[in-house]
Amino acid sequence: MVARRFWFIAVAALLLAGGLGRAARASEVFDDEKLIKLLEAGLSWTVIQRKIDVSESFLTDSTEQMMRIQQTAKKAGVLTEGDINNLQLKILEVASKQKDLVKNGVTKFMNAAVNSKPGEQEYDAAMRDVLRVGPACVPELRTYLQSENELKRIAALHAYEKIADKSAPVVQDAWMMLTDRIPAVRAQAAKAFAALADEKSVAGCIEALQAPKTNLLDGYALSLGYVRSKSALPVLVKTLSARENGKEARFAAAFALGELGVKDDGAKAALLEAVLDESDDALRAAAAQALGKLGVMEALAHIKRAYDRFGKGREALVYELSNFRSRETMEFLIYTCLDSDKNDVRISTVHALNKLTGEDYKNPEDWKIWWEANKETPEWVATGKTTKAP
């Protein structure tokens, strides 16, 4: 009896919190896209109406979406004018009933975004609720794009990315946020924009870099990297090479070139030069990462030169060496970087060695003993050495 009582209390708590109640109301969420599929399949108004009534329905009553529904219904040719009119009225009814629920869900998500971050339970649970509702959350999310709190702007754009509603107003929202005043917001806007991008969107980013109207260019460059637009390669090389573009834009261009995965001579030359940039340690690391993704082994000599030449940012450079699997890399990490007088460099070196070898030693002497016992094995002998930087 006691166990049964506690079970009842636990279930009641879930119902009051909405966690179980929502799942119990319906087997699936019925949204705009599912409505479109039913219309395209030629189902009758009677069946569609019943489906809306028995489902947990979240339908969007925006002008654009209602016009889309009407056009789809007319094209399918099954519903009469009266049926279509009734369907539109039903959409307005459902949307009106769900407004408070949607608003509360988005508010909960925004509170979670301020108090936690992606990967943490509070944030991820709130995000799942937003994604369950889908595009119907977009109008409420849009209001937070104007929030003074950048964490809320970032969260709204993160939801935009995951919902992937490619309607014109949503794409335009993401485009506008590419020039937000906060770099972290621009970075998330780039992910959202890339998730929604089409050929026209890609062309817009390329044009924005070719003829800049703002000094905030990193969002455009990051977007082109995320969509892996090969046509953007020349303008990304140009953006990286032009020092007047500023640190954020050059960093983003270096990252994007790595994402493109194209072994272009111009890109390689620009990235190798960026590894030795004297003014920006973050750019040096981004260029090293890109060269690693592209498999440009000659970059190793440039990275070693940068390590010797610049004290700042060594820990980031050292970690990027994990992308250059060779005996020369191992020798440099073990006999130079592990002996650094900077703790963060030593920690980063151990992480790089872990990634390269799968081993988990912490002590420099243990790494040296392991290396001496393994450096003549075929897997390391075969990697050879690279040329030195000029």
Side-chain angles (χ1 to χ4, degrees), residues 1-2 5 8 45 48 52 70 83 87 134 169 180 183 192 203 251 382:
M1 288 295 292
V2 173
R5 179 171 175 268
F8 174 81
W45 162 235
I48 292 174
I52 294 173
Q70 183 179 41
D83 291 339
L87 173 58
D180 187 272
F251 174 95

Side-chain angles (χ1 to χ4, degrees), residues 22 29-32 56-60 98 101-103 105-106 126-139 163:
R22 187 186 303 111
V29 167
F30 188 70
D31 59 14
D32 297 334
E56 186 183 5
S57 299
F58 291 98
L59 301 174
T60 306
Q98 298 294 350
L101 182 60
V102 170
K103 183 175 182 178
V106 173
M127 173 65 93
R128 284 194 294 272
D129 284 344
V130 167
L131 296 183
R132 179 175 170 81
V133 175
C137 279
V138 169
I163 292 171

